[in-house]
């Protein structure tokens, strides 16, 4: 055996690798070439060129020719990729719990179904965060565009991405770049250093990388802040200023003697409107949020290789990486979905007439005559903080949280020749620790009500409202001077009624969530050639091995209020209540948790050179998860026929699988947030629960393709098909809510008799009254893990690269690659014997409220690369096809109405109703990038790039930020310069 056999792929290269595989092979004169035999998709010696495995290859130079784009930029333009995380993603349900993380999603089957490897070993326990890869150390990437669970085990259903570090690098290399992003706070920049030493029998590699992204506020892109009557998605009926029911008795008692929307709605950026017949002030939280959060990334990597004796090699590598979002911004204050008595948003909080802002509120709303008669008011459609911002956090006034993700990985292996029948061995151990620290703020229910009653503040020691250090919280608009995010002045502000910073800060608790996942993997592989049997094409190669994986997940809740085992009820100190929704007005809770999962696997592989022109590979893997999940066995066969010197045909057939994660099978849950279409897209709490009975999902995959290769041309055309059965998923919160309440602006009546009504928690003590309860009354949605419906997707990939050896005095490459999705069909979704959604084909649609997310018909990338001596110029065009919004149009009210819905608005019978078609059809997104690279003497390289040369804006989309982050790029035209020097 002549080297270590690595089996994997990566995320930085996954994208670019498919774009320029031909060019990558044609040119790589750098001294850090990969000399080891590396085959992604096989344990048997060979190369991607002479096997049946559909692997695309990319080296470091190809990325440099594109201006060293970020991982996010590359993945978002990857033709074979579906929706991926990036930027802040705080409004994507898929990003809940991983804001600031990155993913890769081959074939759009979900990031959890793409396996990411580093030097052929698992990079993460389950789904990988691609932002934590050691980018500065990567020298080569291989991307396997085919299911490979028969080789690698769980998670490789969609494909495999393998990052391979630079080898035999000697010397010191330092580099950095700066990217100017219009409107960004300081732009984006990074610095990296690489040191390598090569001896006679050993070598060492060390690398360090630092990357910074500057905050980019939503207010820097005017197309994000669409008016309510244009795109209502980023607006909430639970506003600030709010709408109040005025009562004759104390604490919301007595009779109703008036109703008023607080003054100054439009002045502080709100939109006066109606929900049904009820007046309201709609509030937009978008000005307080960011397109890009301030982000810092650190990556430290090292590896050591040494010969052991005459026939063995030792390899060890270590990685520490961190992504930090120190000032993660969101709405100034969440809306209430729970009150002192449990679930509820409407009329669950009251303010007494003694509150300093009360009489001012009555006067400013034209109800001054009620002063002295009105004894209290109920918060009907309201949130504590909104248009006036949060005066404790600085900046534009949004709440400030934090996110930190850390990755520690150590991998070592010993490989060589056993000395028996030329059998090689590779025994390795990998340890991975993934850590996250998330902190999010929310208001405590009991503190809020006490503060409105005059018993608030950190220094309150008495029982008399407003005395002994006790303060009133003024919930009305006369408490703040204006909207800090929009720079608006509030004409109704009364300085003596303002809330102190100490009081506002006291209302909040900082939820502190820490999680740690440890993964321990042991691999043992034997490989060689059969000694007594050969085929006409040569010796039969074989490999066999075993693997043990153990994942341990620990979840620690540091805040006693956030811990559901300590504070289960709305009122702190009470542990027995009818509705244990926790002490927060909006966010849910969590529990300390420990989960473990052990997996045992055995596998085998044969490489069959049937003739000189016909090659086949057969693989088989058995994995056992134990428990109710059980085991799975998966075979795969790949065949390649070299029909002529220039033309080859390849194909594959097999089954892949993905086992449930420890969280999938845990009988516990976590809480996330999602915009619920049935509630007018207002954000609601979603309680996600595991299921011990979750089975492994399986996929039958096959592909057939042709390869054409001459001295100047490399082209491939492949047809692929995936049939996924028993997909591990959660019943989408929006699917449940829509099944119960339909789709509308939130004023439509729900179906209390729906068979999945039990998955919804409504306001008003979870009461559902037919003809009374509406979509806006949804407080929480339960989303259970289950084995969901079948998915079938097919498509065609085309890649071409043509080289002109002497054109304009240099070498020119032109080419491109395209992925066309023929169909992406999901069967009817049945849960607990109930059909919660029908079957559909997702291609060409946004699929915002259902799986799998946005699926354009086709995506492509085209390029022209000119190289002459020390000069290189590269032009790249990225194309993502347009889509249609499968939800259809929606409506907004222009006045009081009881029949404002799409059907009536379309028929022209609706009263005070406007049909919204914003983003119904999204145009294709086309961007052009241009990079110039200059290689100067003394190993100095300078690059200059312009990304999105034509400054193309993303198409309109009816979601919160008015663009689809899975299609368009919000940054606009950006400029980047970089320098690299080798010593």
């Amino acid at each position: 055996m002549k080297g270590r056999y690595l089996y994997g792929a990566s995320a930085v290269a996954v994208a670019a690798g498919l774009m320029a595989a031909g060019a990558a092979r044609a040119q790589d004169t750098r001294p850090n070439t990969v000399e080891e035999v590396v085959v992604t998709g096989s344990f048997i010696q060979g190369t991607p060129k002479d096997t049946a495995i559909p692997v695309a290859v990319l080296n470091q130079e190809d990325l440099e020719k594109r201006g060293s784009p970020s991982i996010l930029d590359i993945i978002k333009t990857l033709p074979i990729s579906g929706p991926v995380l990036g930027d802040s993603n705080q409004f994507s349900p898929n990003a809940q719990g991983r804001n600031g993380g990155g993913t890769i999603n081959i074939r759009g089957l979900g990031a959890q179904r793409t396996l990411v490897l580093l030097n052929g070993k698992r990079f993460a326990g389950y789904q990988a965060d691609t932002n934590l890869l050691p980018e500065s150390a990567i020298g080569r990437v291989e991307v396997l565009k085919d299911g490979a669970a028969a080789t690698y085990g769980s998670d490789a259903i969609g494909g495999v991405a393998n990052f391979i570090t630079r080898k035999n690098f000697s010397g010191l290399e330092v580099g950095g770049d700066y990217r100017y992003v219009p409107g960004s706070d300081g732009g984006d920049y990074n610095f990296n250093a690489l040191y390598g030493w090569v001896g006679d029998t050993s070598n060492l590699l060390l690398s360090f990388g630092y990357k910074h992204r500057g905050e980019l506020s939503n207010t820097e892109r005017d197309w994000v802040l669409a008016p309510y009557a244009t795109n209502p998605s980023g607006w909430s009926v639970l506003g600030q200023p709010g709408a109040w029911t005025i009562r004759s008795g104390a604490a919301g008692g007595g009779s109703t003697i008036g109703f008023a929307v607080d003054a100054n709605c439009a002045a502080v950026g709100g939109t006066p409107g109606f929900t049904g017949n009820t007046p309201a002030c709609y509030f937009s939280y978008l000005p307080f949020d960011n397109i890009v959060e301030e982000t810092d990334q650190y990556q430290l990597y090292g590896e050591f290789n040494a010969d052991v004796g005459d026939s063995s090699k030792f390899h060890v590598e270590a990685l520490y990486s961190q992504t930090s979002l120190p000032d993660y911004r969101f709405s100034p204050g969440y809306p209430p979905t729970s009150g002192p008595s449990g679930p509820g948003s409407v009329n669950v909080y009251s303010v007494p007439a003694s509150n300093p802002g009360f009489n001012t509120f009555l006067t400013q709303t034209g109800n001054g005559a009620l002063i002295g008669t009105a004894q209290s008011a109920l918060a009907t459609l309201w949130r504590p903080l909104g248009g006036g911002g949060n005066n404790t956090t600085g900046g534009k006034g949004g709440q400030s949280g934090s996110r930190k993700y850390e990755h520690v990985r150590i991998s070592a292996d010993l490989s060589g020749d056993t000395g028996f029948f030329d059998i090689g061995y590779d025994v390795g151990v990998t340890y991975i620790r993934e850590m996250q620290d998330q902190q999010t703020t929310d208001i405590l229910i009991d503190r809020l009500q006490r503060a409105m009653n005059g018993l608030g503040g950190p220094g309150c020691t008495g029982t008399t409202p407003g005395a002994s250090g006790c303060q009133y919280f003024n919930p009305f608009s006369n408490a703040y001077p204006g909207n800090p995010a929009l720079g608006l002045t509030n004409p109704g502000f009364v300085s003596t009624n303002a809330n102190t910073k100490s009081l506002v800060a006291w209302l909040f608790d900082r939820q502190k969530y820490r999680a740690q996942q440890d993964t321990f993997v042991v691999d043992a592989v034997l490989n060689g050639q059969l000694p007594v049997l050969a085929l006409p094409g040569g010796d039969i190669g074989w490999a066999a091995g075993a693997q043990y994986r153990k994942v341990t997940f620990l979840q620690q809740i540091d805040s006693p209020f956030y811990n559901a085992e300590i504070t289960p009820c709305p009122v702190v100190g009470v542990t027995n209540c009818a509705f244990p929704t926790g002490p927060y007005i909006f966010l849910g809770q969590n529990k300390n948790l420990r989960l473990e999962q052990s997996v045992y696997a055995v596998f085998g592989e044969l490489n069959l050179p049937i003739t000189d022109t016909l090659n086949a590979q057969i693989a088989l893997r058995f994995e056992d998860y134990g428990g109710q999940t059980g085991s799975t066995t998966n075979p795969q066969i790949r065949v390649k026929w070299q029909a002529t010197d220039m033309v080859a045909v390849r194909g594959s057939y097999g089954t892949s699988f993905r086992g449930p994660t420890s969280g999938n099978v845990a009988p516990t849950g976590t809480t996330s947030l999602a915009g619920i279409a049935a509630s007018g897209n207002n954000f609601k709490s979603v309680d996600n629960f595991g299921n011990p009975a979750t089975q492994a999902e399986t996929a039958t995959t096959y592909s057939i393709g042709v390869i054409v290769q001459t001295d100047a041309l490399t082209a491939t055309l492949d047809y692929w098909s995936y049939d996924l059965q028993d997909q591990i998923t959660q019943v989408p919160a929006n699917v449940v809510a829509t099944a119960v309440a339909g789709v509308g602006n939130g004023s439509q009546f729900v179906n209390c008799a729906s068979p999945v009504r039990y998955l919804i928690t409504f306001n008003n003590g979870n009461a559902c009254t037919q003809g009374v309860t509406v979509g806006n009354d949804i407080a929480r949605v339960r989303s259970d893990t289950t084995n969901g419906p079948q998915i079938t997707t097919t498509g065609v990939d085309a890649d071409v690269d043509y080289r002109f050896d002497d054109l304009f005095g240099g070498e020119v490459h032109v080419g491109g690659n395209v992925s066309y999705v023929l169909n992406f069909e999901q069967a009817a979704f049945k849960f607990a014997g109930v059909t919660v959604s029908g079957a559909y084909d997702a291609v060409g649609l946004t699929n915002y409220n259902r799986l799998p997310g946005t699926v354009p018909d086709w995506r492509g990338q085209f390029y022209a690369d000119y190289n002459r001596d020390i000069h290189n110029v590269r032009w790249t065009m990225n194309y993502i096809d347009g889509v249609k919004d499968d939800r259809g149009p929606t409506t907004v009210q222009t006045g009081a109405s009881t029949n404002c819905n799409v059907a009536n608005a379309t028929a022209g019978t609706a009263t005070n109703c406007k049909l919204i078609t914003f983003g119904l059809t999204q145009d294709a997104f086309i961007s052009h990038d241009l990079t110039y690279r200059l290689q100067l003497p003394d190993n100095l390289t300078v690059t200059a790039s312009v990304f999105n040369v034509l400054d193309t804006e993303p198409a309109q989309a009816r979601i919160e930020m008015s663009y689809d982050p899975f299609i368009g790029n919000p940054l606009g035209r950006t400029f980047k310069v970089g320098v690299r020097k080798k010593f």
Side-chain angles (χ1 to χ4, degrees), residues 497-517:
N497 293 348
N499 296 308
T500 66
K501 289 184 179 181
S502 62
L503 173 62
V504 173
W506 175 81
L507 293 175
F508 285 86
D509 177 59
R510 195 173 186 88
Q511 292 188 343
K512 297 179 180 180
Y513 170 87
R514 288 188 294 152
Q516 175 180 304
Q517 181 170 280

Side-chain angles (χ1 to χ4, degrees), residues 61-76:
E61 185 170 356
D62 297 297
L63 287 175
E64 290 180 358
K65 288 179 179 180
R66 292 184 57 195
S68 299
S70 69
I71 293 176
L72 173 62
D73 290 332
I74 294 171
I75 292 176
K76 288 179 69 172

Side-chain angles (χ1 to χ4, degrees), residues 872-889:
N872 185 268
V873 179
R874 187 181 188 90
W875 163 84
T876 304
M877 185 185 82
N878 305 298
Y879 180 92
I880 303 178
D881 204 13
V883 292
K884 294 183 178 180
D885 192 335
D886 57 283
R887 302 171 299 175

Side-chain angles (χ1 to χ4, degrees), residues 896-918:
S897 178
T898 58
N899 67 346
C900 183
N901 56 51
V902 172
N904 291 339
T906 303
T909 59
T911 303
N912 295 327
C913 191
K914 178 183 178 182
L915 191 69
I916 302 297
T917 59
F918 180 88

Side-chain angles (χ1 to χ4, degrees), residues 177-193:
D177 60 58
Y178 174 79
R179 184 176 186 179
Y180 169 74
V181 179
S184 172
D185 184 10
D188 301 346
Y189 49 87
N190 77 72
F191 168 81
N192 57 78

